[in-house]
Each structure stands twice: as structure tokens, then as C-alpha cells.
Amino acid sequence: MAAGAPRIFVSHLAGVPVFDPNGEQVGRVRDLVAMLRVGGRPPRLLGLVVEVLSRRRIFLPMTRVTGVESGQVITTGVVNMRRFEQRPTERLVLGELLDRRVRLVETGEEVTVLDVAIQQLPARRDWEIDKVFVRKGKGGALRRKGEALTVEWSAVTGFSLEEEGQGAESLVATFERLRPADLANALHHLSPKRRLEVAAALHDDRLADVLEELPEDEQVEILGKLKEERAADVLEAMDPDDAADLLSELPEEDKERLLTLMRPSDAAEMRRLMSYEERTAGGLMTTEPIVLRPDATVADALARVRQRDLSPALAAQVYVCRPPDETPTGKYLGTVHFQRLLRDPPFTLVGGIVESDLPPLAPNTPLPAITSYLAAYNMVAAPVVDESGSLLGAVTVDDVLDHLLPEDWREAEFEGTVTADGK
């Protein structure tokens, strides 16, 4: 970047793509690394934490950054793929400086850091943090009522303190557009303290989606630090099979306490799921497939399939049953695949196009048999039906994959070490 270029606020860099000189994308910016200096001097910006396509996080020195413009970062052609490790003298700008409570030197007034700006020094390739965007007031939910202003770095004090009192609102906003799996990856790389702060700041539904993508030990860690009432709410917002798996990892006393705080219907569902062996159809199934009565129309079915919160596997087919419509249902009649719904007129009754020749799975069907079933019939989901003929739920291919991959596959994925053969 040429000397005298305008300053850039770091929140605008979160998630932007990084390209090499040939226009090939290297990865995306996940944080910036700075080194604080004594005497009120602006911190020197050392480099960027870049998540490459293998999801490994590497360090990209600012000396290798040739351009920051138009929502992208341009680098020189050589990138060191060694995994980033933070040193004691380094600070993560997004992860550790934003939302911090600091003081204005002139008045001593406490303010909240909303953003910081970086600028390249004239005639040099060095970068530094030169401005701080702060808001007066108590911070948190009330901070928007205070005056916001941009000041010189030297006009504030308090960045050298520990993270105590640092909120998570700006960091949560930075992560807002990430998919749950990517946000889980970001949380995995935060310090335990910061991870819990961000988790506590997420909405219940968002946190539920993220917990489903985290390794089991981090799920237990986060859930255990939440207030019990909120932990129960988050469990209710999770997919039932994932929530049951998480509950199974908790000590018996904690599990029972959370179950008593959940809605009775949800608690009963959790207990039912936990009663099945883990690597069976009953243990793997979700209890919330799309269930329709035989007098429902194709238009009704397509309206249900279009729901945004459905996974592709669950939206691939609907299950036709006698009432009641919630699992365990009345008599299971068969399935109608999404493609068939697209071929028939909207007024067609699903009871007239149901496929009943495909045998359902029993709840005690073991994992190898489930895998063979999905492969043999080219299915992404399969019905689970009990001896009385009631639909209990559906096993989806993503749940099967979770149990076919190595137990530590999520940790390996976060570190960028998963290969094509899963090793």
C-alpha cells in the first residue's frame, strides 16, 4: 500500500479474503496481531491471523501484505503454512482489544472500545494502531446511549491490563455472518475465558447451533458455565439427538437437574433418546422429521420443506403418518421424496403418492446396517419405526458420518489436519 493511505478500522477486515499476486485465494482474515509498547506509543501491527482453505490458522506478517483495499488483502506469493501460535508479548486485536473498558487520559472517564484503526507508516512497510473508537457510558446494553468518539491511541489508558471487564459484543458482531461450523472453529481458537464470554453473549438459537459443531469437551465446558436455566433453554434449542448426546456426557446429578428445568415434553424426548444405545438408529435419530397426514397436499409438503431451519437431509423427504403428527406418530405409511413433490401438481394428496415399499429401520438397528441401508437405497435420511408401526424419528446421513469419523475429527478439522481418508 502506498504511503499516506487512509487508515482502516479493523472490524472491516474481519473475514475478508486474502489473495496471492496471481489472484488465487489463500484464506480469510480472522484476527490481527499487535505488540503493545511502553510510554503510550501506538502498538505495532505485526501481522494477520489467516484461516487458510484447510481451516488451519497461520500467521501472515504485515511485511508480506502488499495491499489492503476493496474488501480484500493482497500478499506476496510466499506464505508460511506453519500453524499460528500466539506469543506472550502479542495481543489479538479482535479477540482481546475490542470491547475492553479503558479510560480517557484527559478526564479519567471510563469508556468502551468499539473499534481501532490501523495505518501504514509513511515510506515504510510498518503498520501501527493509531486511533481508538470508543463510546462513553457503562457499556453493555446501555452503551449505545453514550457519546461515541475517535481518539488517538495515546489518549486512552488501560490496554495493558488483563481481560477483566472485557465484554464480547463487538466480537460477536464480528462473527455474525459466520456459519455455525466456522464460528465453532473461531471459538475453539479463543482462550477458554474469551470462549465462554462469547458463548454467553450469543443468542440461545445461535449458541445451540454452534455447540452442535464443537468437540464434546468444549460443549460440556460451555454448558457447565451457563446458568442452569439458560443451559436448559439452549438444550431445548438444539437438535434433539445432539442435545441428548450432550446430556449423556454430563454427570448424572447435572443431567437430572437440567432435565427438570426443561419443558416436560422436551425432557421426555431427551429421556427417550438416551434410552437407546448410542450407535443404533434410535440413538442416532432426530425426533423432528417432517410429518404429514395422508390428506395433506403437495403444496403443504413443499411449504414445510422450504422452512429455513431444516437441514438439507431432513428436507429431502416427508414422512406420511396417521395422527398424531408428532413422534411417536400414528401408523407410519411411507415417505415422499422431494423430487416427487416437484413432479406432481400442488393439489395432489401425499397419501396418493407415498412410497411404502422401502422398509423402515428398527430403533435397535446397528450403525453398520444403517450405513449399508443409506448406501444401498441412495438415501440421505431413513425412517425409524417401532414394533407398533409408529414413526419414532429419522436418521440422517450427517448423524451417521459423525459416528463413522474418528472421535477427534472435530479437533482435527479445527487444526486443519483432516485428510481425505479421515486420518
Side-chain angles (χ1 to χ4, degrees), residues 199-345:
L202 294 173
H203 294 297
D204 289 351
D205 290 342
R206 180 70 159 159
L207 179 55
D209 290 340
V210 171
L211 281 179
E212 293 170 6
E213 304 296 337
L214 282 170
E216 288 181 352
D217 58 338
E218 291 178 14
Q219 291 183 29
V220 173
E221 173 195 24
I222 291 174
L223 195 73
K225 295 297 183 179
L226 299 177
K227 292 183 178 179
E228 289 186 343
E229 292 80 4
R230 189 175 181 219
D233 292 340
V234 171
L235 285 167
E236 290 174 350
M238 294 176 67
D239 287 340
D241 52 325
D242 292 312
D245 289 343
L246 177 51
L247 278 170
S248 298
E249 296 297 320
L250 301 179
E252 193 65 29
E253 291 184 2
D254 295 342
K255 175 171 44 178
E256 288 300 321
R257 195 158 49 243
L258 288 172
L259 285 169
T260 59
L261 292 173
M262 297 173 68
R263 291 188 294 264
S265 59
D266 290 321
E269 194 170 44
M270 295 299 103
R271 294 183 190 278
R272 180 158 57 90
L273 285 170
M274 288 187 290
S275 69
Y276 298 110
E277 292 292 331
E278 181 181 4
R279 296 170 71 85
T280 63
L284 296 176
M285 69 182 179
T286 176
T287 56
E288 297 179 346
I290 303 176
V291 178
L292 293 172
R293 299 183 183 185
D295 59 352
T297 65
V298 166
D300 296 329
L302 289 174
R304 295 283 301 277
V305 167
R306 281 195 295 266
Q307 293 178 3
R308 294 184 60 183
D309 57 347
L310 280 176
S311 69
L314 281 180
Q317 59 196 38
V318 300
Y319 302 87
V320 183
C321 306
R322 300 289 182 190
D325 302 340
E326 295 183 358
T327 57
T329 67
K331 181 175 176 58
Y332 167 74
L333 302 178
T335 62
V336 183
H337 196 274
F338 175 64
Q339 286 181 319
R340 181 63 189 267
L341 295 174
L342 294 177
R343 291 197 298 263
D344 283 270

Side-chain angles (χ1 to χ4, degrees), residues 41-162:
R41 297 172 59 199
R44 180 187 173 199
L45 190 65
L46 303 178
L48 308 175
V49 179
V50 176
E51 184 178 287
V52 295
L53 300 184
S54 64
R55 304 188 76 172
R56 177 191 297 265
R57 295 196 172 200
I58 65 170
F59 178 71
L60 177 64
M62 291 306 295
T63 55
R64 296 194 179 276
V65 174
T66 59
V68 182
E69 53 194 1
S70 301
Q72 61 184 14
V73 174
I74 309 297
T75 77
T76 58
V78 180
V79 177
N80 190 332
M81 298 300 291
R82 186 182 299 115
R83 187 176 296 110
F84 167 70
E85 294 183 5
Q86 185 179 357
R87 298 174 180 175
T89 57
E90 297 172 346
R91 297 291 182 270
L92 296 177
V93 179
L94 295 175
E96 297 177 351
L97 299 190
L98 300 195
D99 294 308
R100 186 183 292 274
R101 298 288 288 169
V102 297
R103 292 186 181 277
L104 296 175
V105 174
E106 185 176 350
T107 64
E109 183 179 1
E110 195 173 42
V111 294
T112 301
V113 178
L114 303 183
D115 211 340
V116 297
I118 60 174
Q119 190 171 39
Q120 190 175 21
L121 299 179
R124 296 171 59 186
R125 301 186 69 181
D126 287 344
W127 293 69
E128 65 181 21
I129 299 175
D130 66 337
K131 299 284 185 180
V132 186
F133 181 52
V134 301
R135 189 180 297 277
K136 297 181 178 180
K138 293 184 177 180
L142 300 177
R143 74 180 187 191
R144 297 186 181 277
K145 298 182 180 180
E147 175 190 358
L149 64 159
T150 302
V151 298
E152 299 288 338
W153 175 269
S154 58
V156 296
T157 182
F159 281 104
S160 60
L161 299 177
E162 294 298 322

Side-chain angles (χ1 to χ4, degrees), residues 18-48:
V18 179
F19 296 93
D20 66 19
N22 297 321
E24 296 290 332
Q25 184 171 338
V26 176
R28 290 186 177 274
V29 177
R30 292 308 183 203
D31 215 320
L32 299 88
V33 183
M35 182 177 66
L36 300 183
R37 296 190 283 192
V38 298
R41 297 172 59 199
R44 180 187 173 199
L45 190 65
L46 303 178
L48 308 175

